[in-house]
Amino acid sequence: MNERRISIRNLCYFVLKKLWIIFLAAILTGAALAGYRYYKDKKNANVSEDVKNGSALEPDEKLTVDNAILQFQYASEEEKYIATSPLMEVDWRNEKQSIVQYVVDIKTEEGNVVSGLEKQGIETTYVQMIRSFVNDGVFIEPLGKIDKKYQNVPNIKELVWCNNSGSAELTLGVIYHPKYESLAKDMRSVAEEYFKTLEAADKRLTVRTINETEAVVYDSSTETIQKNATTNLVTYRKAYQNAYATFTASQQSYFRAQTGYLEDEEAGPKPVKFSMKFLILGVILGGALGLGIVLLLLYISIKDQTVSDYSENLGIRNLGLVPVIDKKFRPWRNFLTMKELKPSLMGDTEESAEFIAVRLEAYCKEQESDSIAILSSTCSDNVKKVAEELTSALKKKKIKAVLLENVVKDKKDFEQMLSFRQCILIEELYKGNRRVAAETVEFCRESSVTVIGALGAVSVNG
């Protein structure tokens, strides 16, 4: 009973019949979304101090703007870093480096070399102190005293690095930059001055140079830093710009007040207009909703949609499909549905009725019967036309046929059907009530009346 056999053409025909539902849902949803956005913009059109400081916004609206403000701040910081960092100007494909290697020696007061765990522990301590002096940027202040050009350049430390290449060995590296040509020499001077300070504090300590060289390298770490900075800047900018485009007038005002964004543009409220973006979005969503409603209506429809609906779902024979000439011109139905049904049609109404009469005559002879009741769930005009033609065709073969409109509730019709003991069902495609037809067939079976089969009627353009 719940099985449906819906073809693509049949589905298209049903959708076209219910197209007004899709249009109505699209128009209403589009108008609702655009109207809601217009209402929100109208409500927030008058920019006040409360709007600028965010107190007039709803908590979720303010939170959304605050997140965008953070993205703006991150972008500003990244932009400032790219503009001021000397490392961003270095060509990492051909990076020139100045490298000096040092070794830390620990000796006793008598001049003997300290050995074992004591030596290793002391060396590790001083190695870490020297690395911290360089990598943590402690050298920046004394470097600025050597030359003022190093002052107020916080990212200068990105051009200098230090690591330990062995348990007591250190490597001091300086990346060449044209603005700071003497950085390698000055950095070495500052570092070795620090070494002297450490040696003065601990007479056992000696830091000496063991190698110095210059090299041009392909520095992947510098490449990564530069590309990450550019990527982060683009990401942050897109984040706050995309967010700003979706803000209401009040949210935009609050964002501008906190960030200075678009200061050159008019800060006052802009004319409130219906949002085409929200209108189109609403139409699309409404159209999808309307289509869903139409498909649901098709699924739960109690009308026969295919030839199989009135036969196979009832578990009875399909006696054929009889056309009934319809004077109304329905081009869409003719194109989408009739082409599919054409192979099942048996000619005009009269020819079809005569052919079916031959089949029923053979059945009646086998059953030694000369009467057939004709039943239907709707008894529509087309059903009556088919029943009339079939009755006439059967009469020629000396078989009595009568259309009984309501055997389930009409006592006379029921008694007449019982006297015939057999019946056929005529259902009109797209109009037959599947539930009533199923109840009728079940009622016949319970009354020991044989249901020979089902005959379909369908209107076609004349």
Side-chain angles (χ1 to χ4, degrees):
M1 182 62 185
N2 290 324
E3 292 184 9
R4 308 305 304 276
R5 296 165 177 80
I6 306 299
S7 67
I8 297 298
R9 282 198 182 102
N10 204 269
L11 173 64
C12 292
Y13 172 58
F14 189 85
V15 170
L16 285 171
K17 280 177 62 179
K18 304 295 182 182
L19 204 56
W20 64 272
I21 295 178
I22 299 176
F23 284 148
L24 182 61
I27 293 171
L28 291 178
T29 308
L33 270 183
Y36 173 76
R37 185 55 188 258
Y38 179 83
Y39 168 76
K40 293 287 288 185
D41 289 345
K42 189 73 175 178
K43 181 179 178 181
N44 298 320
N46 296 322
V47 179
S48 63
E49 288 303 317
D50 289 342
V51 172
K52 289 183 178 181
N53 61 31
S55 60
L57 297 175
E58 297 293 334
D60 58 333
E61 292 179 327
K62 186 175 184 297
L63 179 61
T64 301
V65 182
D66 287 339
N67 289 335
I69 291 173
L70 282 177
Q71 300 298 319
F72 183 91
Q73 293 171 348
Y74 294 153
S76 299
E77 292 171 2
E78 205 68 42
E79 188 174 4
K80 181 179 179 181
Y81 168 76
I82 292 174
T84 60
S85 171
L87 187 63
M88 294 299 295
E89 300 173 351
V90 172
D91 182 4
W92 47 266
R93 298 175 184 83
N94 297 285
E95 185 177 284
K96 184 178 178 182
Q97 295 184 357
S98 177
I99 301 172
V100 183
Q101 290 179 294
Y102 299 95
V103 65
V104 176
D105 287 333
I106 303 296
K107 296 183 179 180
T108 63
E109 293 180 0
E110 292 77 14
N112 299 321
V113 176
V114 179
S115 61
L117 294 175
E118 180 184 4
K119 177 178 182 293
Q120 184 178 355
I122 296 172
E123 288 174 348
T124 301
T125 299
Y126 283 114
V127 165
Q128 293 301 322
M129 289 176 65
I130 295 171
R131 286 191 61 186
S132 178
F133 175 80
V134 176
N135 293 334
D136 292 347
V138 182
F139 68 87
I140 293 177
E141 184 177 348
L143 186 65
K145 293 178 181 179
I146 292 178
D147 195 327
K148 291 184 178 181
K149 67 183 177 183
Y150 300 122
Q151 296 177 358
N152 300 320
V153 188
N155 293 320
I156 193 71
K157 73 184 186 70
E158 292 183 326
L159 297 176
V160 182
W161 51 270
C162 181
N163 58 35
N164 54 308
S165 52
S167 59
E169 293 182 1
L170 286 162
T171 300
L172 175 66
V174 178
I175 299 173
Y176 174 79
H177 191 284
K179 289 184 180 178
Y180 312 104
E181 294 183 357
S182 60
L183 178 61
K185 179 175 68 68
D186 295 338
M187 185 62 214
R188 182 174 180 179
S189 174
V190 169
E192 292 180 355
E193 188 67 30
Y194 179 64
F195 299 160
K196 291 178 182 178
T197 303
L198 295 178
E199 291 170 344
D202 189 341
K203 301 299 183 181
R204 299 173 300 171
L205 173 67
T206 301
V207 183
R208 57 188 175 86
T209 304
I210 59 174
N211 188 32
E212 54 183 296
T213 184
E214 289 188 353
V216 177
V217 300
Y218 181 107
D219 195 341
S220 58
S221 61
T222 301
E223 175 191 10
T224 300
I225 291 172
Q226 290 182 358
K227 289 185 176 180
N228 285 348
T230 303
T231 301
N232 290 340
L233 177 59
V234 173
T235 301
Y236 295 142
R237 279 180 176 173
K238 283 185 176 180
Y240 75 74
Q241 287 173 353
N242 291 341
Y244 183 84
T246 65
F247 288 163
T248 63
S250 294
Q251 287 177 306
Q252 290 181 347
S253 178
Y254 172 51
F255 183 86
R256 289 196 302 270
Q258 299 301 312
T259 62
Y261 181 58
L262 300 178
E263 288 180 338
D264 295 336
E265 292 191 3
E266 183 181 357
K270 298 180 180 180
V272 179
K273 299 179 180 179
F274 276 102
S275 172
M276 287 301 298
K277 178 180 178 181
F278 275 76
L279 179 62
I280 294 172
L281 177 63
V283 168
I284 294 173
L285 293 177
L289 175 63
L291 180 59
I293 294 173
V294 170
L295 295 179
L296 178 62
L297 290 176
L298 175 60
Y299 177 76
I300 65 177
S301 173
I302 61 174
K303 294 181 179 180
D304 297 317
Q305 299 296 331
T306 67
V307 178
S308 301
D309 277 345
Y310 62 75
S311 60
E312 293 180 24
N313 282 336
L314 298 176
I316 56 180
R317 295 184 188 88
N318 181 356
L319 296 177
L321 189 62
V322 179
V324 179
I325 303 302
D326 187 354
K327 298 300 182 181
K328 292 182 180 179
F329 181 61
R330 297 182 176 91
W332 284 111
R333 185 181 68 183
N334 189 55
F335 174 74
L336 294 171
T337 307
M338 291 308 132
K339 284 188 176 181
E340 182 179 359
L341 297 177
K342 192 173 182 181
S344 303
L345 297 177
M346 302 167 63
D348 60 25
T349 310
E350 185 178 353
E351 291 175 355
S352 301
E354 290 177 355
F355 180 82
I356 294 167
V358 173
R359 295 184 65 184
L360 293 176
E361 179 186 22
Y363 179 85
C364 289
K365 285 182 179 179
E366 183 181 345
Q367 300 296 323
E368 297 181 353
S369 172
D370 61 354
S371 60
I372 296 176
I374 300 175
L375 311 181
S376 176
S377 64
T378 60
C379 284
S380 64
D381 292 339
N382 286 337
V383 168
K384 291 177 180 179
K385 288 179 183 178
V386 174
E388 183 180 346
E389 291 292 342
L390 183 57
T391 300
S392 177
L394 287 172
K395 186 177 181 181
K396 296 176 184 178
K397 301 183 180 299
K398 302 187 183 313
I399 298 174
K400 181 181 180 182
V402 178
L403 175 62
L404 304 178
E405 297 189 7
N406 195 346
V407 296
V408 177
K409 296 182 179 180
D410 190 289
K411 179 182 176 183
K412 290 183 179 180
D413 286 352
F414 176 59
E415 290 176 345
Q416 193 168 5
M417 181 186 70
L418 288 178
S419 66
F420 288 4
R421 308 307 303 173
Q422 56 190 6
C423 68
I424 64 169
L425 200 67
I426 299 181
E427 294 299 331
E428 183 174 1
L429 206 59
Y430 312 125
K431 291 185 180 180
N433 190 313
R434 294 192 301 137
R435 293 177 183 173
V436 175
E439 291 173 0
T440 302
V441 171
E442 186 63 25
F443 183 76
C444 291
R445 288 170 177 166
E446 290 176 353
S447 304
S448 301
V449 174
T450 303
V451 183
I452 300 173
L455 178 63
V458 61
S459 61
V460 298
N461 293 330

